[in-house]
Amino acid sequence: MIVDMHCDTLSELREKKRAGSRESLRQNTLCLDLERMKKHGYLLQNFAVFVDLKHTEDPYEDALDQIRLLHAELENSRDICGQVYSYNDIQNHIKQGKLSVMLSLEEGGMCGGDSEKLRALYEAGARMMTLCWNYENELGYPAVPEEGGSAKDSRVMGLKKKGIVFLEEMESLGMIPDVSHLSDQGFWDVVKYTEKPFVASHSNARSVWGHGRNLTDDMLHAMGERGCVAGLNYYPLFLNGGDDSEKASAALARHALHMVDQAGIESVGLGSDFDGFPAASDVSDPAGTANLIWALHRAGFSDRETELICGGNVLRLYREVL
């Protein structure tokens, strides 16, 4: 049972289609497609609507275009999957033997600070959103500063007033805040201004590899206390700096051990970031999940603990929030 909180397959598929490709979400040459997910034991995949604010004329329309693509692709694969709007949908899809697809938003700036746009995206099925990507926006500041920024920026520059307003609206709607890409201070602002569990959909442990996109031990402690979930990111740069002498699965297991030690076994999940970076050695597609499971067992995780990491913890959070 695999539940993955983040991939960039949707935006990559759109680019392929714009270039004339006839590939689909059901079957393609990207890291992920529905048929391979079903073959290799997936239960649910979050597909992110990713918008690069510096390379789009209309971020909101860009997001809507990707959502229209997702809806069209799902319509053509109703026999094997369905979209998630509530936790009951996940349960119903399990009974029907179908995959579940959940819509996420990567870059809160796509709303332009307009709460009406946030609500419209929720109505379209968005159930999770990062407050920002790698740029400052109307809501707050990123973990990886823009050129000319510094680590200090991430420590002291958090959410703006509009970001706090959006958090309140998200909790009211039932949309899960995602702190991946958010600055360190922004993380603590989310802790302060929310009550429900949130996620870091694709972030690892900074004590294992010191990248600013990874979570500190204090952050992991706070997430564990709240019942949040952090999703292991397969990107080698966040695992070990891209050292190809270590298999990605082994590096992921090292991060998992530390994250469980700091946050607890119920606060670690998967957030592959598939199609957001070049394929990572032995976990480059759904088939590679078997290598990750093997690495988790070799690291000492029991069958039950591995099941929690691979899907159980995220499902518990979705049950509580959706």
Side-chain angles (χ1 to χ4, degrees), residues 22-240:
R22 301 182 68 177
E23 295 185 32
S24 66
L25 194 62
R26 185 174 187 126
Q27 188 175 56
N28 59 56
T29 58
L30 296 166
C31 291
L32 280 181
D33 62 36
L34 298 174
E35 290 189 355
R36 282 179 287 162
M37 287 163 53
K38 189 169 182 62
K39 178 180 178 181
H40 295 289
Y42 274 61
L43 188 152
L44 185 152
Q45 176 68 52
N46 282 54
F47 285 91
V49 170
F50 166 64
V51 175
D52 186 332
L53 296 180
K54 290 190 175 181
H55 294 90
T56 181
E57 294 182 2
D58 188 334
Y60 182 63
E61 182 56 38
D62 190 342
L64 292 179
D65 186 55
Q66 292 181 55
I67 293 172
R68 286 190 287 266
L69 171 60
L70 179 66
H71 287 167
E73 293 293 318
L74 294 182
E75 182 66 21
N76 292 331
S77 294
R78 286 183 297 172
D79 58 318
I80 62 170
C81 71
Q83 188 171 351
V84 171
Y85 294 88
S86 70
Y87 184 75
N88 285 340
D89 292 328
I90 301 173
Q91 296 298 100
N92 289 334
H93 295 157
I94 291 172
K95 293 175 183 177
Q96 296 165 10
K98 293 183 179 183
L99 298 166
S100 287
V101 169
M102 187 183 295
L103 180 62
S104 300
L105 308 175
E106 187 172 29
E107 174 54 89
M110 67 179 65
C111 297
D114 185 342
S115 295
E116 288 294 332
K117 291 180 178 178
L118 177 70
R119 287 190 284 272
L121 293 170
Y122 176 84
E123 290 300 319
R127 292 297 180 267
M128 183 186 296
M129 184 176 78
T130 65
L131 282 299
C132 63
W133 186 56
N134 290 345
Y135 314 130
E136 175 189 351
N137 63 23
E138 297 87 353
L139 308 182
Y141 296 86
V144 181
E146 296 185 60
E147 186 175 354
S150 69
K152 181 180 179 181
D153 295 339
S154 184
R155 291 194 297 268
V156 302
M157 301 175 78
L159 293 182
K160 300 178 181 180
K161 290 182 179 179
K162 181 64 70 172
I164 297 169
V165 170
F166 262 54
L167 273 183
E168 293 172 349
E169 182 70 23
M170 291 171 73
E171 282 215 317
S172 175
L173 289 170
M175 185 184 289
I176 302 165
D178 183 352
V179 297
S180 286
H181 287 286
L182 193 59
S183 68
D184 287 8
Q185 182 55 49
F187 174 95
W188 294 112
D189 289 339
V190 171
V191 172
K192 179 178 179 180
Y193 292 107
T194 61
E195 296 180 358
K196 299 177 183 178
F198 56 87
V199 303
S201 67
H202 55 305
S203 296
N204 298 325
R206 201 177 300 179
S207 288
V208 177
W209 186 256
H211 195 285
R213 272 278 284 103
N214 290 338
L215 301 162
T216 68
D217 289 355
D218 285 345
M219 292 174 182
L220 290 166
H221 291 158
M223 292 185 73
E225 291 175 357
R226 178 72 69 86
C228 306
V229 179
L232 293 161
N233 189 322
Y234 301 3
Y235 185 20
L237 187 63
F238 300 160
L239 289 173
N240 57 16

